[in-house]
């Protein structure tokens, strides 16, 4: 029986993009269902009753929620094509740590603070956002990708935020390229 894969998503979501990249890397066919977050579908409320958020992957009628958990699930279920997490347990733990760092450090709320905050209110998220970028620049170092030579789960977890670099620079009046040239080169790669 062919797998039925449905993604509940909203086009602009950085978290939904993680799942779309994982599915694309693995070459998995799926049905994309766009959600209106102002008027969530009964299916979304049924499939993610706890958080009521997208993305939700529905695999053969079973829901998986939370983007990082979905990416790990995809990697485990379709393990034969393009691995996203390393197979070595220690390296795997490291990859999970860094993906978790991106979310724990509240990259997305910081970005929201930069675009919606005024004057003083903008300062704290701006500082925190730049600090995270510098830590990631250090972690990347001279490697082409976070995990080494090939694209993997940490790249996937952060690259979706790249589309907002320009807006952050303009609104926050700082240069990401000047502070984190390796990170910008990585994102383009
Ligand atoms: C975050 C998902 C999320 O914030 C993940 O999947 O990684 N930790 C989760 N989803 C937002 C849309 S993206 O901005 C969402 O569904 N919001 C609807 C709501 O809060 O009601």
């Amino acid at each position: 029986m062919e797998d039925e894969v449905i993604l509940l998503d909203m086009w602009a979501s950085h978290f939904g993009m993680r799942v779309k990249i994982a599915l694309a890397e693995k070459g998995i066919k799926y049905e994309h269902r766009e959600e209106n977050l102002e008027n969530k579908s009964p299916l979304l409320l049924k499939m993610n009753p706890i958080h009521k958020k997208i993305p939700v992957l529905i695999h053969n009628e079973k829901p998986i929620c939370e983007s990082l958990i979905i990416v790990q699930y995809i990697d485990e279920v379709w393990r034969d094509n393009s691995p996203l997490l390393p197979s070595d347990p220690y390296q795997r733990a490291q990859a999970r740590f860094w993906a978790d760092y991106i979310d724990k450090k509240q990259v997305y709320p910081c970005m929201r603070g930069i675009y919606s905050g005024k004057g003083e209110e903008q300062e704290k998220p701006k500082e925190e956002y730049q600090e995270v970028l510098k830590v990631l620049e250090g972690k990347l170092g001279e490697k082409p990708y976070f995990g080494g030579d090939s694209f993997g789960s940490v790249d996937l977890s952060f690259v979706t935020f790249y589309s907002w670099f320009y807006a952050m620079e303009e609104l926050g009046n700082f240069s990401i390229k000047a502070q984190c040239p390796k990170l910008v080169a990585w994102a383009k790669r």
Side-chain angles (χ1 to χ4, degrees):
M1 191 187 83
E2 191 160 296
D3 281 308
E4 184 193 55
V5 183
I6 299 171
L7 175 63
L8 306 184
D9 187 27
M10 191 274 284
W11 69 273
S13 166
H14 304 279
F15 305 102
M17 282 178 215
R18 288 173 170 170
V19 179
K20 285 187 275 195
I21 296 173
L23 291 166
E25 285 287 312
K26 296 276 182 184
I28 300 161
K29 283 205 200 107
Y30 65 99
E31 182 190 334
H32 182 270
R33 290 198 196 164
E34 185 72 10
E35 282 287 332
N36 173 0
L37 296 180
E38 304 295 319
N39 181 20
K40 295 171 186 169
S41 72
L43 184 63
L44 174 58
L45 300 177
K46 183 174 162 209
M47 293 291 158
N48 191 356
I50 306 296
H51 297 305
K52 305 177 177 65
K53 290 186 179 191
I54 58 91
V56 179
L57 190 78
I58 311 173
H59 182 205
N60 295 334
E61 299 180 4
K62 290 185 296 206
I64 307 101
C65 304
E66 289 293 311
S67 59
L68 296 181
I69 295 173
I70 301 173
V71 169
Q72 290 179 25
Y73 176 85
I74 291 172
D75 202 33
E76 282 166 16
V77 172
W78 290 277
R79 60 172 77 222
D80 292 341
N81 22 1
S82 310
L84 296 169
L85 278 108
S87 54
D88 172 75
Y90 181 72
Q91 295 305 329
R92 238 174 132 72
Q94 291 303 304
R96 288 195 178 114
F97 172 89
W98 284 103
D100 180 60
Y101 169 84
I102 293 159
D103 285 1
K104 279 222 175 79
K105 278 288 172 181
Q106 306 276 310
V107 170
Y108 180 56
C110 286
M111 293 184 345
R112 275 209 323 248
I114 296 171
Y115 81 68
S116 58
K118 301 264 174 295
E120 283 288 291
E121 285 165 15
Q122 234 193 16
E123 289 311 309
K124 197 162 174 273
K126 213 168 110 173
E127 253 173 51
E128 286 175 0
Y129 179 73
Q130 290 176 87
E131 188 200 307
V132 173
L133 295 189
K134 282 185 201 148
V135 170
L136 291 172
E137 166 97 353
K139 168 66 191 154
L140 178 66
E142 302 305 323
K143 303 187 294 298
Y145 298 101
F146 279 94
D149 288 332
S150 53
F151 181 85
S153 61
V154 181
D155 304 292
L156 177 161
S157 303
F158 188 60
V159 78
T160 61
F161 295 104
Y162 172 59
S163 55
W164 280 29
F165 273 21
Y166 175 70
M168 294 298 103
E169 288 180 314
E170 288 292 305
L171 296 167
N173 196 25
F174 56 85
S175 165
I176 299 176
K177 196 166 179 200
Q179 292 178 32
C180 302
K182 291 175 197 157
L183 203 59
V184 171
W186 158 84
K188 291 194 172 144
R189 196 177 301 125

